Amino acid sequence: AGSAARPSGHSCGSPEISWTLPDTSHVSQEDLTSQVGDVLLFYCYCEVRDPEKLCAWQKALCQHLHLTGKVRVASEGINGTVGGSKVATSLYIKVMLSQPLFKNILCQEDFKSSAGGAHCFPDLRVGVFKEIVPMGIDPKIVSYKETGIHLSPQEFHREVEQYLSQATQGQSDTILLDCRNFYESKIGHFQGCLAPDIRKFSYFPSYVDENLELFKDKRVLMYCTGGIRCERGSAYLRSKAVCREVYQLKGGIHKYLEEFPDGFYRGKLFVFDDRYAICSNEDIISACRYCGVLWDQYKLCSSQHCRQLVLTCPSCCNKGLTACCPVCQEKVLKVTSRASGQILKEECECTRRRPRVPIEHVSPRMLDTGK
């Protein structure tokens, strides 16, 4: 951890946005639109004077390269996950790195890649938002410039190894904190982590506020999928001035698994596209909600009004058990309600029973290597 540094942010003024689109005349249409490709995950915090212009360029660039996915643009930077052919994603990275706005900030290593393609997303969505990751706190109040200390995957691995060794003896002064949502950590997480039972990242600030005593005088090791939630999450935790120090995994689980596929992260990595998860090891740490057999492949709840994800194995699916809870299993959506244009609120046993912000009662024994 001694070699890690806290970035000072990029506040030297925003360069003009280049409207460059790559030359694809030398590329065949087949290569450009091939179903065999990659999904890229990336973000870049920087000052953007004209988010609307950056948004328009991003949309044109993705359409030009036949990419699908989601891109969020804000005055604080850009955050995206896009899928396309290997040729298209390679060209996308090249153009992004040549964009003056991102020069000397974004680098090749900032793009996390996994097998996939344009088919992993239903469409392309590019928009301007207040935050590039929705934490619900004004970026001017809690800035990415006040982030925690970044640890490389190797440094993080050593820290987790030491933490697990101390935790088994009940001597740890460290919390290994998962910044993701409950359905993400449910199918994969670091051994010995504290995984909040929250449904949205926008609940994370309230979770910290309600559990400040838990973090008092602790060293906190934070991680998330690609690193972006830790940027603002660590800044928020640091703003409370209760922790001894806050560290975060640079590049997130994605980069860690590239170097340590059989390391301390077990199970699958949840991703926000039609794949739902990618794997690096054979461990299955979750179970079918109906029969309890080991299972970690999500499906959407079969109740049309519900957006919950459900773990239901093929055997239970064949029995018609395809909803997230008994309420949804029995509920029938009325055609008249949909026709009337009403927005139906999600109501199910899952959301009703889960506290929006859980209060932790954690003892050293609960944070051992088996939990």
Side-chain angles (χ1 to χ4, degrees):
S3 65
R6 182 178 287 116
S8 58
H10 308 281
S11 56
C12 299
S14 174
E16 270 301 312
I17 298 168
S18 168
W19 191 266
T20 304
L21 295 179
D23 178 16
T24 57
S25 60
H26 63 290
V27 181
S28 71
Q29 190 72 4
E30 184 179 351
D31 285 342
L32 200 59
T33 60
S34 172
Q35 289 290 301
V36 179
D38 293 314
V39 170
L40 301 177
L41 179 67
F42 73 97
Y43 69 89
C44 180
Y45 276 106
C46 60
E47 294 188 3
V48 182
R49 282 197 303 244
D50 193 344
E52 294 289 350
K53 184 176 181 181
L54 178 59
C55 178
W57 172 70
Q58 265 299 300
K59 187 173 183 179
L61 174 61
C62 291
Q63 290 174 337
H64 182 67
L65 295 174
H66 300 275
L67 300 176
T68 59
K70 306 169 189 175
V71 181
R72 293 175 68 99
V73 175
S75 58
E76 63 173 355
I78 185 171
N79 172 26
T81 175
V82 295
S85 70
K86 289 187 177 296
V87 170
T89 52
S90 178
L91 284 171
Y92 181 81
I93 293 174
K94 185 177 180 180
V95 174
M96 289 291 287
L97 294 178
S98 66
Q99 172 63 254
L101 185 62
F102 307 132
K103 196 165 185 179
N104 301 323
I105 307 174
L106 197 61
C107 63
Q108 181 81 34
E109 289 70 35
D110 290 324
F111 290 87
K112 300 93 181 176
S113 176
S114 57
H119 60 278
C120 294
F121 301 92
D123 51 25
L124 173 66
R125 299 180 186 181
V126 186
V128 175
F129 300 84
K130 192 166 187 176
E131 305 170 275
I132 59 173
V133 61
M135 191 170 78
I137 304 289
D138 192 323
K140 294 177 182 177
I141 297 174
V142 177
S143 170
Y144 66 88
K145 297 173 186 177
E146 302 300 325
T147 187
I149 295 175
H150 291 71
L151 299 179
S152 68
Q154 299 94 334
E155 291 169 326
F156 196 83
H157 184 79
R158 288 196 296 269
E159 285 284 336
V160 173
E161 186 174 40
Q162 183 178 3
Y163 158 70
L164 292 175
S165 174
Q166 293 174 341
T168 55
Q169 303 169 38
Q171 300 173 343
S172 181
D173 62 351
T174 300
I175 291 177
L176 179 56
L177 181 62
D178 194 321
C179 293
R180 301 172 302 158
N181 304 320
F182 77 90
Y183 53 85
E184 298 175 77
S185 58
K186 189 172 187 176
I187 62 170
H189 54 247
F190 276 94
Q191 298 174 53
C193 75
L194 172 62
D197 190 20
I198 56 175
R199 189 175 177 190
K200 299 178 181 179
F201 184 56
S202 58
Y203 298 170
F204 182 77
S206 297
Y207 174 81
V208 169
D209 293 346
E210 294 293 334
N211 293 279
L212 278 180
E213 192 63 29
L214 177 69
F215 299 106
K216 189 175 181 181
D217 298 324
K218 292 291 196 296
R219 296 173 72 253
V220 179
L221 301 172
M222 300 176 68
Y223 69 88
C224 60
T225 305
I228 188 169
R229 280 178 279 189
C230 284
E231 301 284 13
R232 295 285 307 289
S234 66
Y236 188 82
L237 188 54
R238 289 188 69 238
S239 74
K240 298 301 172 177
V242 295
C243 302
R244 260 185 29 222
E245 192 53 272
V246 180
Y247 300 94
Q248 63 191 80
L249 174 57
K250 181 176 172 60
I253 303 164
H254 224 298
K255 283 295 181 183
Y256 178 86
L257 290 178
E258 288 179 11
E259 299 193 39
F260 300 98
D262 290 306
F264 297 117
Y265 185 91
R266 309 312 301 172
K268 283 189 168 65
L269 172 59
F270 185 92
V271 289
F272 290 90
D273 57 57
D274 289 350
R275 298 171 299 172
Y276 289 129
I278 54 180
C279 64
S280 66
N281 56 68
E282 299 302 317
D283 287 5
I284 300 177
I285 67 169
S286 52
C288 171
R289 82 167 310 278
Y290 288 101
C291 70
V293 68
L294 289 175
W295 190 251
D296 60 7
Q297 297 180 33
Y298 275 121
K299 291 181 180 295
L300 272 176
C301 175
S302 56
S303 180
Q304 294 180 49
H305 73 292
C306 183
R307 300 300 298 173
Q308 294 274 5
L309 291 168
V310 58
L311 292 170
T312 175
C313 70
S315 176
C316 289
C317 279
N318 290 336
K319 296 175 184 176
L321 301 173
T322 54
C324 66
C325 66
V327 172
C328 282
Q329 191 69 35
E330 296 170 8
K331 191 172 181 68
V332 177
L333 187 65
K334 294 181 180 179
V335 178
T336 52
S337 295
R338 182 174 287 273
S340 67
Q342 295 179 4
I343 298 175
L344 295 178
K345 183 179 180 181
E346 179 180 312
E347 294 178 0
C348 70
E349 195 173 89
C350 301
T351 53
R352 187 170 64 242
R353 289 187 175 183
R354 177 177 296 106
R356 174 172 169 158
V357 181
I359 309 300
E360 304 288 2
H361 301 284
V362 181
S363 65
R365 183 173 294 180
M366 290 174 65
L367 292 175
D368 65 21
T369 56
K371 301 295 182 182

